Amino acid sequence: MTFGPIPIIVAVSGHRDLVDGELSAIRQALRGEFSSLRKRYPHSRLQIFNGLAEGADWLAAEIALECQLELVAVLPLPQTEYEKDFSTPEALERFRLLLSKASRIQEAPFNQAYAGSSTRDWHYEALGIYLAQNAQRLYALWDGNTIAPLPGGTADVVQKSLHGITSEDNLLAEPETCQVRHLCCNRKKNPDAYSSQNATQWRPHIDVAADDYWDEIFHSIDDFNKAAIKIDGANCREVAQSRKWLVGGDSYPPVIEIDLQAHAFADALARTKQKRRHRMLWFLSLLIFLSVFFQQVHLGPDMQWYWLAMHIGLGLSAFGGYLLFFSGTHNSETQYMDWRALAEGLRVQTFWRAAGIQESASNYYLSSQRDELNWIRYAMRNVAATSTAFNPSMNLSWIKERWLKDQEEFFLKTAPTKQARRKQWAWISQSLFGIGAITTAALLVSPLLNLAPTISSWSALAAAVIFLMAAVCRNYASLMAYEEDANRYKKMGVLFGRTVQLLEQYEKTNEVIASRKLVLAVGKEALAENGEWLLLHRQRKFEIPT
């Protein structure tokens, strides 16, 4: 199977002492869930983060592999230490077998800010935090008991998933949550938690709106992956060009490969959609203009049925084109803006990784948005979670040339262009309005000139058409937000230029920590700027005049 570059990440947490008589039904429930997940999102790699503890983790890992999910082993401790938790040689052998089938093995990052009662508990709690923060769906094989939850236990992980965890890096951001799918399971310590009718059943969802929200997140990622597969097969040169623009030649830090490739797909797709958007904008504007023109001809100088028919036909064609490209939840205009935003977020994330900054750029991107834009952050986070390599060193010269100077040049070069286009379209609109006003004034004095009625009718039509053209040009300039973009681009160009100067000073004195802080700071500014761009252009979507 061919999958796109951005995975969908789920996780599992559950009891080690599941009741033996329920294991077969639990397997069946998991098989149905994972098979459904695979069918609903066929273009995405489905990764299941799993601590591979005995019991529920093992069952979920085995069924996930059967259903073609990718097993990612996230261990709470180094493997040699973790293996002390397995009491029998058979259990240890089964653990190692599952571990050998994992596509990736990693250790959950340890964070002392969430310390528990003992050193070992801290590591299990760190695993729970990692699962809650990085998965979009948690499968909880759980008895539902919330009394005195153990650090890193299923109840603890469920609570962290449902309520979120405050980010240490961005304390003002609303905590990110994770969808929880609860499979009702008894355990040997609590064998009567559920009746025979309710045991091994998925607990009914209480919040349907939340389910729709998470489905939208998954579908947005899968739609991106579907488009990425298509462009990789049909127009891979666009992807290669995006890679080249970002990193230049073949010499770049290997740790950025996963982020780089995801950026290249997002950038190539956004550029393709942008070209199509511009063509559609002008094509639909032309159809609307001609439709109104033929309507005015029918109402004015020549009331023939075919003018009305052309008006109706072109109007319907414009409406159909609008529905095809600009309407719907996953319309092409929205995809263009979202994919451009994703590409720019991944640009920052790529260079942060090259600088040895481990955190995901999603922590600072669109953090005030809790709507359909959330999929962009989750996509970036999933890429970051997949790319676990760390770059302890930092090539300041490479980062400065490939990112900072490149962005400085782009913004400072593009800002005057945007301003010039704003003035150009303003001049065209004002000129057309002036011509329309002169034509209208001439019509007012036409009775004094004894002009033929036919000439007056056609002159009135000409005035209406000219005013319409002025309105179309003005609307296009407003839609493109030239003035707002010009002001933002100028500010960002100056900011990147200042960053280059400071980084050159740090480079001379080999101040690595200060350099990383600077790269982190300018990245946050870039993310904030692009977030503003996205929200502005989403508010100025193209609409059919009514």
Side-chain angles (χ1 to χ4, degrees), residues 170 176 337-338 340-346 360-370 373-374 376-377 380 524 526-534:
N170 190 357
E176 298 280 7
M337 295 177 188
D338 289 2
R340 171 49 56 202
L342 176 60
E344 295 308 314
L346 288 170
S360 169
S362 64
N363 293 336
Y364 306 96
Y365 200 33
L366 299 167
S367 57
S368 62
Q369 303 301 310
R370 288 295 182 271
L373 293 176
N374 237 8
I376 298 174
R377 283 206 309 279
M380 292 170 57
K524 291 178 183 179
L527 293 170
E529 183 276 328
N530 196 257
E532 292 174 3
W533 174 91
L534 176 62

Side-chain angles (χ1 to χ4, degrees), residues 307-519:
W307 297 123
L308 180 61
M310 294 181 71
H311 157 65
I312 295 174
L314 290 171
L316 290 175
S317 298
F319 185 69
Y322 171 79
L323 291 178
L324 181 65
F325 194 91
F326 292 100
S327 69
T329 305
H330 299 280
N331 68 77
S332 294
E333 184 178 35
T334 297
Q335 286 181 335
Y336 151 64
M337 295 177 188
D338 289 2
W339 293 350
R340 171 49 56 202
L342 176 60
E344 295 308 314
L346 288 170
R347 182 197 302 273
V348 173
Q349 187 163 293
T350 299
F351 285 104
W352 275 2
R353 189 168 297 279
I357 299 170
Q358 290 184 276
E359 61 185 297
S360 169
S362 64
N363 293 336
Y364 306 96
Y365 200 33
L366 299 167
S367 57
S368 62
Q369 303 301 310
R370 288 295 182 271
D371 51 20
E372 69 274 11
L373 293 176
N374 237 8
W375 84 269
I376 298 174
R377 283 206 309 279
Y378 284 114
M380 292 170 57
R381 183 175 305 160
N382 291 359
V383 172
T386 304
S387 180
T388 57
F390 175 63
N391 184 32
S393 60
M394 178 170 60
N395 189 330
L396 288 179
S397 298
W398 185 82
I399 294 172
K400 181 177 64 178
E401 294 296 327
R402 295 310 316 167
W403 181 31
L404 303 177
K405 285 188 175 181
D406 177 80
Q407 291 291 279
E408 177 190 13
E409 180 182 355
F410 168 79
F411 283 119
L412 293 180
K413 181 179 179 180
T414 307
T417 302
K418 294 282 186 180
Q419 193 65 32
R421 288 180 179 174
R422 183 198 68 81
K423 292 180 179 179
Q424 178 186 25
W425 284 107
W427 181 85
I428 293 174
S429 178
Q430 292 168 3
S431 298
L432 288 171
F433 186 84
I435 295 172
I438 294 172
T439 305
T440 302
L443 285 171
L444 294 176
V445 300
S446 61
L448 302 177
L449 302 176
N450 295 321
L451 296 176
T454 303
I455 296 178
S456 297
S457 297
W458 283 102
S459 297
L461 173 63
V465 169
I466 291 171
F467 279 126
L468 176 62
M469 292 173 61
V472 169
C473 292
R474 184 173 182 177
N475 181 64
Y476 177 78
S478 176
L479 184 68
M480 300 306 292
Y482 287 129
E483 184 171 10
E484 293 87 347
D485 284 349
N487 293 334
R488 260 200 334 272
Y489 285 13
K490 182 178 179 181
K491 181 192 76 172
M492 291 304 298
V494 171
L495 182 67
F496 273 101
R498 174 62 177 160
T499 304
V500 170
Q501 294 176 359
L502 288 173
L503 200 62
E504 287 176 343
Q505 296 178 15
Y506 295 152
E507 194 175 11
K508 291 177 182 178
T509 55
N510 197 29
E511 297 182 55
V512 176
I513 296 178
S515 299
R516 280 203 176 103
K517 289 182 178 179
L518 184 62
V519 171

Side-chain angles (χ1 to χ4, degrees), residues 105-123:
I105 302 171
Q106 64 187 75
E107 187 179 338
F110 178 71
N111 191 331
Q112 282 190 323
Y114 298 101
S117 59
S118 69
T119 302
R120 201 170 189 86
D121 284 343
W122 294 354
H123 287 277

